[in-house]
PDB file of all heavy atoms in Angstrom:
ATOM      1  N   ASP A 220      73.087  73.988 174.276  1.00 76.00           N
ATOM      2  CA  ASP A 220      71.860  73.284 174.819  1.00 76.00           C
ATOM      3  C   ASP A 220      70.644  73.339 173.833  1.00 76.00           C
ATOM      4  O   ASP A 220      69.614  72.826 174.181  1.00 76.00           O
ATOM      5  CB  ASP A 220      71.476  73.914 176.131  1.00 76.00           C
ATOM      6  CG  ASP A 220      72.519  73.775 177.200  1.00 76.00           C
ATOM      7  OD1 ASP A 220      73.153  72.685 177.265  1.00 76.00           O
ATOM      8  OD2 ASP A 220      72.715  74.719 177.999  1.00 76.00           O
ATOM      9  N   PHE A 221      70.816  74.005 172.735  1.00 74.00           N
ATOM     10  CA  PHE A 221      69.616  74.161 171.834  1.00 74.00           C
ATOM     11  C   PHE A 221      69.264  72.830 171.289  1.00 74.00           C
ATOM     12  O   PHE A 221      70.075  72.185 170.582  1.00 74.00           O
ATOM     13  CB  PHE A 221      69.942  75.124 170.746  1.00 74.00           C
ATOM     14  CG  PHE A 221      68.759  75.663 170.016  1.00 74.00           C
ATOM     15  CD1 PHE A 221      67.642  76.231 170.783  1.00 74.00           C
ATOM     16  CD2 PHE A 221      68.644  75.653 168.665  1.00 74.00           C
ATOM     17  CE1 PHE A 221      66.570  76.743 170.169  1.00 74.00           C
ATOM     18  CE2 PHE A 221      67.515  76.170 168.042  1.00 74.00           C
ATOM     19  CZ  PHE A 221      66.460  76.715 168.705  1.00 74.00           C
ATOM     20  N   PRO A 222      68.127  72.313 171.632  1.00 67.00           N
ATOM     21  CA  PRO A 222      67.731  70.930 171.241  1.00 67.00           C
ATOM     22  C   PRO A 222      67.260  70.771 169.770  1.00 67.00           C
ATOM     23  O   PRO A 222      66.234  70.259 169.443  1.00 67.00           O
ATOM     24  CB  PRO A 222      66.588  70.637 172.181  1.00 67.00           C
ATOM     25  CG  PRO A 222      65.877  71.944 172.344  1.00 67.00           C
ATOM     26  CD  PRO A 222      67.017  72.930 172.342  1.00 67.00           C
ATOM     27  N   MET A 223      68.149  71.255 168.848  1.00 67.00           N
ATOM     28  CA  MET A 223      67.761  71.216 167.485  1.00 67.00           C
ATOM     29  C   MET A 223      69.003  71.163 166.659  1.00 67.00           C
ATOM     30  O   MET A 223      69.790  72.127 166.621  1.00 67.00           O
ATOM     31  CB  MET A 223      67.009  72.514 167.094  1.00 67.00           C
ATOM     32  CG  MET A 223      66.368  72.442 165.696  1.00 67.00           C
ATOM     33  SD  MET A 223      65.546  74.025 165.310  1.00 67.00           S
ATOM     34  CE  MET A 223      66.836  75.102 164.900  1.00 67.00           C
ATOM     35  N   PRO A 224      69.250  70.031 165.917  1.00 64.00           N
ATOM     36  CA  PRO A 224      70.395  69.991 165.025  1.00 64.00           C
ATOM     37  C   PRO A 224      70.355  70.925 163.889  1.00 64.00           C
ATOM     38  O   PRO A 224      69.301  70.955 163.183  1.00 64.00           O
ATOM     39  CB  PRO A 224      70.402  68.499 164.614  1.00 64.00           C
ATOM     40  CG  PRO A 224      68.931  68.056 164.626  1.00 64.00           C
ATOM     41  CD  PRO A 224      68.357  68.861 165.855  1.00 64.00           C
ATOM     42  N   ASP A 225      71.330  71.749 163.727  1.00 69.00           N
ATOM     43  CA  ASP A 225      71.329  72.713 162.614  1.00 69.00           C
ATOM     44  C   ASP A 225      72.777  73.003 162.129  1.00 69.00           C
ATOM     45  O   ASP A 225      73.504  73.545 162.936  1.00 69.00           O
ATOM     46  CB  ASP A 225      70.645  74.015 163.111  1.00 69.00           C
ATOM     47  CG  ASP A 225      70.488  75.069 162.026  1.00 69.00           C
ATOM     48  OD1 ASP A 225      70.852  74.783 160.817  1.00 69.00           O
ATOM     49  OD2 ASP A 225      69.989  76.135 162.217  1.00 69.00           O
ATOM     50  N   PHE A 226      73.084  72.543 160.944  1.00 64.00           N
ATOM     51  CA  PHE A 226      74.477  72.810 160.437  1.00 64.00           C
ATOM     52  C   PHE A 226      74.744  74.254 160.280  1.00 64.00           C
ATOM     53  O   PHE A 226      75.840  74.639 160.148  1.00 64.00           O
ATOM     54  CB  PHE A 226      74.684  72.031 159.136  1.00 64.00           C
ATOM     55  CG  PHE A 226      74.678  70.581 159.339  1.00 64.00           C
ATOM     56  CD1 PHE A 226      73.708  69.736 158.784  1.00 64.00           C
ATOM     57  CD2 PHE A 226      75.690  69.928 160.061  1.00 64.00           C
ATOM     58  CE1 PHE A 226      73.707  68.365 158.939  1.00 64.00           C
ATOM     59  CE2 PHE A 226      75.741  68.567 160.210  1.00 64.00           C
ATOM     60  CZ  PHE A 226      74.695  67.748 159.700  1.00 64.00           C
ATOM     61  N   ASN A 227      73.671  75.073 160.253  1.00 74.00           N
ATOM     62  CA  ASN A 227      73.859  76.523 160.017  1.00 74.00           C
ATOM     63  C   ASN A 227      73.644  77.266 161.300  1.00 74.00           C
ATOM     64  O   ASN A 227      73.222  78.444 161.306  1.00 74.00           O
ATOM     65  CB  ASN A 227      72.971  76.998 158.922  1.00 74.00           C
ATOM     66  CG  ASN A 227      73.251  76.422 157.599  1.00 74.00           C
ATOM     67  OD1 ASN A 227      74.467  76.401 157.171  1.00 74.00           O
ATOM     68  ND2 ASN A 227      72.310  75.871 156.898  1.00 74.00           N
ATOM     69  N   ASN A 228      73.832  76.673 162.398  1.00 83.00           N
ATOM     70  CA  ASN A 228      73.741  77.389 163.693  1.00 83.00           C
ATOM     71  C   ASN A 228      74.604  78.540 163.723  1.00 83.00           C
ATOM     72  O   ASN A 228      75.824  78.455 163.512  1.00 83.00           O
ATOM     73  CB  ASN A 228      74.142  76.404 164.880  1.00 83.00           C
ATOM     74  CG  ASN A 228      73.812  76.978 166.228  1.00 83.00           C
ATOM     75  OD1 ASN A 228      73.822  78.180 166.442  1.00 83.00           O
ATOM     76  ND2 ASN A 228      73.441  76.070 167.139  1.00 83.00           N
ATOM     77  N   PRO A 229      74.008  79.781 163.897  1.00 88.00           N
ATOM     78  CA  PRO A 229      74.864  80.992 163.729  1.00 88.00           C
ATOM     79  C   PRO A 229      76.027  81.107 164.670  1.00 88.00           C
ATOM     80  O   PRO A 229      76.998  81.848 164.348  1.00 88.00           O
ATOM     81  CB  PRO A 229      73.849  82.085 163.866  1.00 88.00           C
ATOM     82  CG  PRO A 229      72.728  81.516 164.656  1.00 88.00           C
ATOM     83  CD  PRO A 229      72.655  80.058 164.173  1.00 88.00           C
ATOM     84  N   VAL A 230      75.915  80.539 165.852  1.00 88.00           N
ATOM     85  CA  VAL A 230      77.046  80.704 166.776  1.00 88.00           C
ATOM     86  C   VAL A 230      78.346  80.060 166.309  1.00 88.00           C
ATOM     87  O   VAL A 230      79.442  80.311 166.916  1.00 88.00           O
ATOM     88  CB  VAL A 230      76.667  80.153 168.211  1.00 88.00           C
ATOM     89  CG1 VAL A 230      75.424  80.826 168.706  1.00 88.00           C
ATOM     90  CG2 VAL A 230      76.500  78.725 168.258  1.00 88.00           C
ATOM     91  N   GLY A 231      78.231  79.144 165.324  1.00 87.00           N
ATOM     92  CA  GLY A 231      79.460  78.425 164.919  1.00 87.00           C
ATOM     93  C   GLY A 231      79.881  78.770 163.513  1.00 87.00           C
ATOM     94  O   GLY A 231      80.625  78.025 162.901  1.00 87.00           O
ATOM     95  N   ILE A 232      79.508  79.919 162.985  1.00 90.00           N
ATOM     96  CA  ILE A 232      79.845  80.230 161.570  1.00 90.00           C
ATOM     97  C   ILE A 232      80.874  81.341 161.431  1.00 90.00           C
ATOM     98  O   ILE A 232      81.008  81.852 160.319  1.00 90.00           O
ATOM     99  CB  ILE A 232      78.599  80.674 160.825  1.00 90.00           C
ATOM    100  CG1 ILE A 232      77.978  81.912 161.379  1.00 90.00           C
ATOM    101  CG2 ILE A 232      77.551  79.519 160.763  1.00 90.00           C
ATOM    102  CD1 ILE A 232      76.885  82.506 160.506  1.00 90.00           C
ATOM    103  N   ALA A 233      81.660  81.546 162.518  1.00 90.00           N
ATOM    104  CA  ALA A 233      82.743  82.587 162.405  1.00 90.00           C
ATOM    105  C   ALA A 233      83.652  82.349 161.202  1.00 90.00           C
ATOM    106  O   ALA A 233      83.947  83.242 160.384  1.00 90.00           O
ATOM    107  CB  ALA A 233      83.510  82.683 163.628  1.00 90.00           C
ATOM    108  N   ALA A 234      84.163  81.091 161.167  1.00 88.00           N
ATOM    109  CA  ALA A 234      85.079  80.717 160.059  1.00 88.00           C
ATOM    110  C   ALA A 234      84.448  80.821 158.694  1.00 88.00           C
ATOM    111  O   ALA A 234      85.050  81.254 157.699  1.00 88.00           O
ATOM    112  CB  ALA A 234      85.626  79.353 160.248  1.00 88.00           C
ATOM    113  N   GLU A 235      83.121  80.470 158.647  1.00 91.00           N
ATOM    114  CA  GLU A 235      82.462  80.642 157.362  1.00 91.00           C
ATOM    115  C   GLU A 235      82.288  82.070 156.923  1.00 91.00           C
ATOM    116  O   GLU A 235      82.379  82.402 155.724  1.00 91.00           O
ATOM    117  CB  GLU A 235      81.081  79.978 157.470  1.00 91.00           C
ATOM    118  CG  GLU A 235      80.238  79.991 156.209  1.00 91.00           C
ATOM    119  CD  GLU A 235      78.821  79.438 156.412  1.00 91.00           C
ATOM    120  OE1 GLU A 235      78.686  78.540 157.305  1.00 91.00           O
ATOM    121  OE2 GLU A 235      77.908  79.891 155.733  1.00 91.00           O
ATOM    122  N   LEU A 236      82.053  82.969 157.861  1.00 93.00           N
ATOM    123  CA  LEU A 236      81.934  84.341 157.545  1.00 93.00           C
ATOM    124  C   LEU A 236      83.321  84.911 157.046  1.00 93.00           C
ATOM    125  O   LEU A 236      83.333  85.689 156.076  1.00 93.00           O
ATOM    126  CB  LEU A 236      81.564  85.188 158.791  1.00 93.00           C
ATOM    127  CG  LEU A 236      80.105  84.925 159.310  1.00 93.00           C
ATOM    128  CD1 LEU A 236      79.919  85.724 160.636  1.00 93.00           C
ATOM    129  CD2 LEU A 236      79.071  85.391 158.277  1.00 93.00           C
ATOM    130  N   VAL A 237      84.378  84.499 157.616  1.00 91.00           N
ATOM    131  CA  VAL A 237      85.707  84.921 157.215  1.00 91.00           C
ATOM    132  C   VAL A 237      85.980  84.425 155.799  1.00 91.00           C
ATOM    133  O   VAL A 237      86.514  85.185 154.955  1.00 91.00           O
ATOM    134  CB  VAL A 237      86.793  84.422 158.217  1.00 91.00           C
ATOM    135  CG1 VAL A 237      88.146  84.722 157.661  1.00 91.00           C
ATOM    136  CG2 VAL A 237      86.617  85.077 159.596  1.00 91.00           C
ATOM    137  N   SER A 238      85.632  83.192 155.492  1.00 91.00           N
ATOM    138  CA  SER A 238      85.895  82.619 154.150  1.00 91.00           C
ATOM    139  C   SER A 238      85.133  83.447 153.086  1.00 91.00           C
ATOM    140  O   SER A 238      85.585  83.511 151.910  1.00 91.00           O
ATOM    141  CB  SER A 238      85.459  81.221 154.102  1.00 91.00           C
ATOM    142  OG  SER A 238      84.055  80.969 154.200  1.00 91.00           O
ATOM    143  N   LYS A 239      84.042  84.035 153.447  1.00 91.00           N
ATOM    144  CA  LYS A 239      83.249  84.848 152.510  1.00 91.00           C
ATOM    145  C   LYS A 239      83.939  86.149 152.170  1.00 91.00           C
ATOM    146  O   LYS A 239      83.879  86.582 150.974  1.00 91.00           O
ATOM    147  CB  LYS A 239      81.828  85.101 153.070  1.00 91.00           C
ATOM    148  CG  LYS A 239      80.975  83.887 153.080  1.00 91.00           C
ATOM    149  CD  LYS A 239      79.528  84.231 153.589  1.00 91.00           C
ATOM    150  CE  LYS A 239      78.614  83.072 153.614  1.00 91.00           C
ATOM    151  NZ  LYS A 239      77.312  83.319 154.109  1.00 91.00           N
ATOM    152  N   VAL A 240      84.636  86.731 153.089  1.00 93.00           N
ATOM    153  CA  VAL A 240      85.276  88.064 152.852  1.00 93.00           C
ATOM    154  C   VAL A 240      86.647  87.850 152.299  1.00 93.00           C
ATOM    155  O   VAL A 240      87.208  88.810 151.762  1.00 93.00           O
ATOM    156  CB  VAL A 240      85.339  88.925 154.078  1.00 93.00           C
ATOM    157  CG1 VAL A 240      83.914  89.219 154.571  1.00 93.00           C
ATOM    158  CG2 VAL A 240      86.067  88.228 155.238  1.00 93.00           C
TER     159      VAL A 240
END
Side-chain angles (χ1 to χ4, degrees):
D220 298 321
F221 198 50
M223 186 180 82
D225 184 1
F226 291 115
N227 296 311
N228 189 327
V230 303
I232 63 169
E235 181 183 331
L236 292 177
V237 173
S238 68
K239 289 181 179 180
V240 296

